[in-house]
Amino acid sequence: MNPRLSLLAAVALISASALAYEVLLMRLFSIIQWHHFAYMMISLALLGYGISGVFLALNRDRLTQLFPAAIMANMLLFSVFAPACFLLAQQIPFNPAEMSWSPMQLLYLCIIYLMLALPFFFAANVIGLSLYHHNNQVSSIYAADLFGAGLGSVGVILLLSFIFPEQILTVLMLSGILAALLVSIHTFHAPKHWTIASAVLGLAVIFAPANWVTLKVSPYKSLNQLLQVPGTKIVGRYSSPLGLISVVKSEITPLRHAPGLSLNATTEPPEQLAVFTDADNMTAITRYNGNPETLGYLDQTTSALPYHLKRLSDILILGSGTGSDILQANFHAVKDIDAVELNPQIIDLVQRKYADFAGNLYSSAHHVNVHIDEARGYLAATNKTYDLVNISLLDAFGASAAGLYSMAENYLYTEQAVQEYLRHVSPDGYLSITRWIKVPPRDEPKLLATVVNALKDAHVRQPGQQIIMIRGWQTSTLIVKNGIISAEEISRLKQFCNDRSFDPVYYPGISESETNRFNIQQQPYLYEAAVALLSDNSQSFIDAYKFNIEAATDNKPYLFHFFKWQTLPEIMSLLNTGGSFLLESGYLLLIAALAQAILASLLLIALPLWLWKGKLGIEPGTGNHLNMLAYFFCLGLAFLFIEIGFIQKFILILHHPLYAITVVLSTFLLSAGIGSFYSTNLSRSTEKSAFMLPMAAIALLSIVYSLGFESISGFLLKTGSLSRYLFSIILIAPLGFCMGMPFPMGLAKISQTAPALIPWAWGINGCASVISAILATLIAMQFGFTVLILLAVILYGVAAWCFPKLA
């Protein structure tokens, strides 16, 4: 192999491995903890790259002399530390739910953050050293870096479809070792000990036991809690990019899963198998022999209410999962059932692997039409209407109650989603949404506020005439009718609640004395919330409420974000008396991650650059570097603001955070690389307009996409899966192309007057990037995506103003 090509191949391999590792960490942490940790992983990857920039800037001359040994050492160190750091991170007793009362958790989080940044430091050293040493091949090496990154982001998704997540760590080790072998044999003709060391390490990995990497799942996740029951064991594990599926059987203690079951229930579920996604979100496959009478227990839950209001002939179940909602419909003899489920593995479990156990539930014999799709994507592509559109309990009770979903985007419960659901409800049909009960109420009043706003936006004059709501001891069910609630329906609702000891929360004409009779709370919280939210003073009630219950929208799709800063002092005063459950662990984790990102970037990037600024070419007592500092700091913030904003927005179009991250990151990387290469021509121009053109294009495209996203997403949701991916790439690429220009153009301008300042600029940009990945998420949660994008445009404007003044 040509030595030059082998070096490029090695750089591409390391870059692919680094980005694959970044995406893989998101999956691994969503399994062992509750979060995808997406933006924290992006931040710590950038921290590793930023520290590498400082390290190389201060030691570039010595490292260049030791180039062959240094580059191979970093490749092997990446190979070893990628799995090692993750395994060590698992040993740290970090639990996000304890952050509100245990200061040690902040220290644990910081240790994990710095530890996981280490492999990215080694990967960045490989790329940075190659650029320093082969400065006559910069464009080729940079292209190999970007090509590898794009390949890695796609490759890890393919790997997740075939092997378990923890096994991919072995693949990443082998790719790093392969890179070292490539350069040791073909490029440097290095001493034999480098080749031998790489080969021995590679063989050790290949012949290591298959289970040498294991996942240490949090003991607070529901899978581990169930496995404490005698006789329970995992009988099946299945992996996909959408989740790690575990099937659990109980041979001694019968497994009984019936959320929201009435305390009056006299029947119990048949034999069941528990199904967990990422060790949580438990559902159950129920043994079904074809006799509907065995399913009587499902008629004793709050979600059975719509079947008692009138006879239903065709229904749509969104998030059908393992089939309990289909069984409920079968019990009520529904003739036509459309079931939509995003995860094909769940469908495969019921339809093939456990088909006999489940009574071939997903078959035409049970009048079931199965659609593997996302809820809003399916509805956008069909004009069919239904007597009932049903959504029930798509998240785990424990994680939901602990505030662990607070920073998870969820486009199923927004105003625009509710409007889409109601467009597919037949006249006098129903939309039914079942949620977990929380005390004090949080997501129930927020969901109700969202529904009320959706009805008002649809020009419904009296939303209260179309809403009914009930609650049990564990779940509540909100029903929205496509029409006026009748007296007959109210009578049937009362009978349904009396027979099952459920409490009416709201129906047209309800009085307070009818509420809070069976499942007694200190006061009828939900009834008071419903009355207030349906009144003319709803906004005053929302503003005064202890938690954030502003309606969720596609611009702020955070149904589970309830944090209010003004309530924090009161909650903190209650910590010693059991008030810790009122704090949102997810939001606190994000705040803590931002604090440590700022601290780490200042201490590990900004401080070394400042202390050794003389070595980097900044003269004492001058302020010439301040414009440069502002320029590159603004670019670091703005680039990630737009990138993170697009990742979050494209979850709606691409249906899953992992797919959105992969497509958006890889497209931005590749198109920005092309833009960076093209910017060489603009940098030679003496016209000021040539430098301002990319900035103007970024501002224009960002504003157009931001303001027109509802129309864009509406169009793309109606297209097929392949079309959605292609159109997403086509939309992102022009923006990424333009965003790839300002940074190299700034470096080119500095290189003409003060080339020694280039490492300083690189470090400042890295410092801002580390902070912006997490800060962008916080801004989106508090103010929405539109504000986030507009802030990015303003930052690009500040950078454009500073550009002519760069030293």
Side-chain angles (χ1 to χ4, degrees):
M1 180 183 288
N2 184 294
R4 178 174 176 272
L5 291 179
S6 66
L7 175 62
L8 295 177
V11 168
L13 264 176
I14 288 295
S15 183
S17 302
L19 199 66
Y21 185 58
E22 182 180 335
V23 176
L24 179 63
L25 286 176
M26 300 172 196
R27 282 294 307 123
L28 292 172
F29 271 87
S30 69
I31 296 169
I32 65 175
Q33 296 289 345
W34 279 276
H35 310 284
H36 289 290
F37 278 79
Y39 312 113
M40 181 177 168
M41 295 308 159
I42 294 173
S43 176
L44 64 87
L46 291 167
L47 177 65
Y49 275 73
I51 296 172
S52 170
V54 175
F55 173 72
L56 295 178
L58 298 176
N59 300 278
R60 59 186 182 274
D61 295 334
R62 177 174 172 78
L63 290 171
T64 300
Q65 295 172 2
L66 301 172
F67 181 66
I71 192 172
M72 285 185 286
N74 277 284
M75 288 174 176
L76 294 178
L77 286 169
F78 170 81
S79 301
V80 172
F81 277 83
C85 287
F86 174 72
L87 292 175
L88 288 172
Q90 285 197 113
Q91 304 309 310
I92 297 172
F94 172 65
N95 176 26
E98 295 181 22
M99 290 180 64
S100 57
W101 69 84
S102 175
M104 283 299 294
Q105 295 300 325
L106 295 174
L107 177 61
Y108 294 151
L109 180 63
C110 187
I111 294 171
I112 290 173
Y113 186 78
L114 294 175
M115 186 183 296
L116 292 176
L118 196 56
F120 296 104
F121 169 77
F122 294 126
N125 283 344
V126 172
I127 299 162
L129 275 171
S130 299
L131 289 168
Y132 275 131
H133 190 262
H134 294 278
N135 50 32
N136 60 335
Q137 301 179 34
V138 168
S139 60
S140 299
I141 294 172
Y142 191 48
D145 174 30
L146 292 172
F147 176 79
L151 184 66
S153 63
V154 175
V156 71
I157 297 298
L158 295 176
L159 287 172
L160 284 167
S161 301
F162 297 103
I163 61 177
F164 292 108
E166 63 271 26
Q167 294 173 341
I168 298 177
L169 288 169
T170 301
V171 177
L172 297 183
M173 283 192 74
L174 291 173
S175 66
I177 294 167
L178 177 59
L181 283 170
L182 275 174
V183 296
S184 67
I185 296 172
H186 297 288
T187 305
F188 304 127
H189 304 291
K192 288 184 178 180
H193 65 264
W194 280 106
T195 304
I196 293 171
S198 301
V200 169
L201 185 58
L203 289 172
V205 173
I206 292 171
F207 291 104
N211 61 346
W212 74 279
V213 178
T214 57
L215 298 184
K216 187 178 179 181
V217 178
S218 168
Y220 301 99
K221 298 197 85 168
S222 51
L223 172 60
N224 272 351
Q225 292 179 8
L226 180 62
L227 291 176
Q228 300 302 312
V229 177
T232 55
K233 63 179 182 180
I234 296 176
V235 295
R237 291 178 81 233
Y238 312 94
S239 176
S240 83
L242 298 180
L244 179 65
I245 307 297
S246 303
V247 181
V248 177
K249 183 177 182 179
S250 180
E251 296 180 338
I252 298 176
T253 306
L255 174 66
R256 297 289 183 261
H257 181 68
L261 189 67
S262 166
L263 296 176
N264 295 354
T266 56
T267 58
E268 63 182 33
E271 181 185 357
Q272 293 178 320
L273 298 173
V275 178
F276 296 87
T277 302
D278 289 345
D280 207 48
N281 289 353
M282 176 180 166
T283 57
I285 302 175
T286 302
R287 182 180 289 281
Y288 184 46
N289 59 10
N291 180 9
E293 292 183 4
T294 62
L295 306 174
Y297 74 100
L298 291 170
D299 194 42
Q300 305 296 312
T301 61
T302 61
S303 60
L305 174 60
Y307 298 100
H308 289 260
L309 298 179
K310 75 169 189 177
R311 181 74 176 176
L312 304 174
S313 59
D314 61 334
I315 69 171
L316 172 65
I317 296 173
L318 299 177
S320 57
T322 51
S324 63
D325 291 329
I326 296 173
L327 291 174
Q328 189 177 62
N330 280 340
F331 178 80
H332 292 95
V334 175
K335 296 179 180 179
D336 188 11
I337 304 169
D338 277 341
V340 177
E341 171 58 40
L342 176 60
N343 193 340
Q345 278 196 314
I346 297 291
I347 297 294
D348 186 62
L349 286 178
V350 181
Q351 203 169 44
R352 191 173 64 85
K353 292 185 175 70
Y354 298 96
D356 293 337
F357 185 91
N360 296 294
L361 182 62
Y362 280 149
S363 69
S364 57
H366 294 289
H367 315 289
V368 179
N369 303 304
V370 183
H371 307 274
I372 300 175
D373 206 342
E374 190 270 342
R376 291 181 64 176
Y378 169 78
L379 288 174
T382 182
N383 293 319
K384 188 175 180 181
T385 59
Y386 301 88
D387 291 342
L388 171 67
V389 175
N390 182 76
I391 307 174
S392 295
L393 302 178
L394 301 183
D395 52 77
F397 172 73
S400 179
L404 294 167
Y405 292 136
S406 60
M407 62 182 184
E409 306 88 351
N410 193 318
Y411 288 95
L412 290 176
Y413 302 107
T414 66
E415 289 181 25
Q416 291 80 2
V418 171
Q419 290 171 357
E420 185 67 39
Y421 302 150
L422 291 174
R423 277 194 286 270
H424 291 80
V425 174
S426 305
D428 294 324
Y430 310 107
L431 166 64
S432 176
I433 304 176
T434 298
R435 295 290 314 146
W436 299 107
I437 289 284
K438 296 190 189 74
V439 180
R442 278 158 278 181
D443 57 349
E444 302 102 310
K446 189 162 187 172
L447 177 62
L448 186 55
T450 302
V451 168
V452 171
N453 278 13
L455 289 173
K456 288 179 178 178
D457 290 343
H459 307 294
V460 175
R461 294 183 178 179
Q462 294 182 302
Q465 295 297 311
Q466 297 182 209
I467 293 174
I468 56 179
M469 189 175 186
I470 66 171
R471 67 176 177 89
W473 66 277
Q474 191 181 31
T475 62
S476 65
T477 295
L478 171 65
I479 292 179
V480 187
K481 183 180 178 181
N482 186 10
I484 303 299
I485 303 293
S486 68
E488 175 66 19
E489 288 167 323
I490 293 174
S491 176
R492 293 187 176 191
L493 177 149
K494 291 179 178 179
Q495 186 64 47
F496 178 85
C497 289
N498 286 333
D499 292 345
R500 294 160 181 77
S501 294
F502 293 148
D503 291 288
V505 171
Y506 179 84
Y507 62 79
I510 192 173
S511 63
E512 184 174 345
S513 61
E514 298 176 78
T515 66
N516 208 29
R517 293 187 300 147
F518 299 111
N519 305 279
I520 299 176
Q521 298 176 348
Q522 187 174 2
Q523 61 190 76
Y525 298 111
L526 279 179
Y527 162 77
E528 294 171 352
V531 171
L533 290 169
L534 288 164
S535 71
D536 294 334
N537 298 318
S538 59
Q539 191 58 50
S540 298
F541 175 78
I542 291 171
D543 293 339
Y545 205 72
K546 297 291 186 180
F547 301 96
N548 171 25
I549 57 169
E550 288 279 355
T553 66
D554 281 356
N555 188 47
K556 294 172 66 175
Y558 299 98
L559 181 74
F560 310 112
H561 172 48
F562 311 115
F563 184 86
K564 267 190 173 181
W565 284 103
Q566 54 264 45
T567 311
L568 183 60
E570 182 179 350
I571 294 177
M572 295 302 292
S573 68
L574 298 173
L575 289 183
N576 294 329
T577 57
S580 58
F581 73 96
L582 299 173
L583 277 176
E584 294 183 60
S585 298
Y587 194 80
L588 288 177
L589 174 68
L590 205 58
I591 294 292
L594 176 63
Q596 71 181 19
I598 293 172
L599 184 63
S601 60
L602 290 177
L603 290 179
L604 301 176
I605 300 174
L607 184 61
L609 290 174
W610 181 262
L611 292 176
W612 285 280
K613 60 183 179 180
K615 185 177 180 179
L616 297 175
I618 296 177
E619 298 177 6
T622 68
N624 295 337
H625 60 289
L626 297 180
N627 285 314
M628 185 190 67
L629 186 152
Y631 180 82
F632 287 101
F633 192 83
C634 286
L635 288 186
L637 289 177
F639 191 99
L640 266 294
F641 278 12
I642 291 178
E643 188 175 74
I644 298 299
F646 268 64
I647 288 173
Q648 293 173 319
K649 292 296 282 183
F650 273 76
I651 291 173
L652 171 61
I653 295 171
L654 302 177
H655 302 338
H656 194 274
L658 203 65
Y659 293 155
I661 289 166
T662 301
V663 171
V664 173
L665 272 182
S666 58
T667 305
F668 265 117
L669 281 169
L670 293 171
S671 58
I674 298 170
S676 178
F677 182 78
Y678 179 78
S679 69
T680 305
N681 297 326
L682 289 180
S683 298
R684 298 193 188 105
S685 174
T686 57
E687 296 292 331
K688 184 178 178 180
S689 58
F691 298 100
M692 296 299 107
L693 186 61
M695 300 288 197
I698 292 168
L700 179 62
L701 287 172
S702 298
I703 292 172
V704 168
Y705 286 168
S706 178
L707 298 181
F709 194 82
E710 186 171 344
S711 300
I712 293 171
S713 60
F715 168 75
L716 292 182
L717 285 172
K718 296 177 182 178
T719 63
S721 297
L722 180 59
S723 298
R724 283 199 296 269
Y725 284 97
L726 289 176
F727 277 116
S728 297
I729 292 169
I730 291 170
L731 282 170
I732 296 169
L735 181 58
F737 176 80
C738 296
M739 289 168 59
M741 295 184 188
F743 184 76
M745 289 170 66
L747 291 182
K749 188 171 179 64
I750 291 174
S751 67
Q752 297 167 10
T753 55
L757 293 179
I758 290 177
W760 172 275
W762 185 276
I764 291 301
N765 183 263
C767 182
S769 298
V770 172
I771 298 168
S772 63
I774 300 173
L775 182 61
T777 307
L778 278 170
I779 293 171
M781 291 177 68
Q782 289 295 126
F783 306 106
F785 297 125
T786 302
V787 171
L788 178 65
I789 299 300
L790 290 177
L791 278 175
V793 170
I794 292 171
L795 287 168
Y796 271 114
V798 173
W801 181 77
C802 292
F803 184 83
K805 305 174 184 179
L806 292 185

